[in-house]
Amino acid sequence: MSTDVSILIQLNSAQADAYLRWLTSQYEQLMAACWYDDRYRFTPQGERGPKILRDHPHIAGLNRTMRELVKARQGAKA
């Protein structure tokens, strides 16, 4: 059973910046840990990142959260 989850949060500018830095750090660490895993050694060029995101939903969730936060920050600055 799969359902979509939507979360609405309000952050001030400092919180949003700090949260984005933390998300980015977590994402980079997790991707690096997977990137050189033997499981992905023979994955064709250009497909490794998407395959990791498909195989690891928590990393994909970080990625999606980061993208949405960046979009929200850009909208707030406009």
Side-chain angles (χ1 to χ4, degrees):
M1 180 185 330
S2 176
T3 59
D4 291 341
V5 175
S6 180
I7 300 171
L8 175 64
I9 60 172
Q10 288 186 314
L11 303 170
N12 65 36
S13 183
Q15 290 171 326
D17 290 342
Y19 188 43
L20 183 57
R21 283 193 306 273
W22 181 81
L23 287 169
T24 302
S25 171
Q26 295 300 303
Y27 175 80
E28 289 173 349
Q29 289 176 32
L30 291 168
M31 281 298 279
C34 292
W35 193 264
Y36 298 104
D37 190 312
D38 283 344
R39 177 179 184 181
Y40 302 104
R41 178 179 295 193
F42 300 108
T43 303
Q45 183 175 352
E47 295 180 24
R48 189 179 292 195
K51 181 161 177 46
I52 291 170
L53 294 178
R54 282 192 305 273
D55 292 349
H56 300 277
H58 63 293
I59 301 174
L62 284 170
N63 181 271
R64 176 67 188 261
T65 304
M66 289 171 15
R67 286 184 292 142
E68 293 301 320
L69 184 54
V70 167
K71 283 195 309 191
R73 297 282 293 138
Q74 289 172 346
K77 291 180 182 178

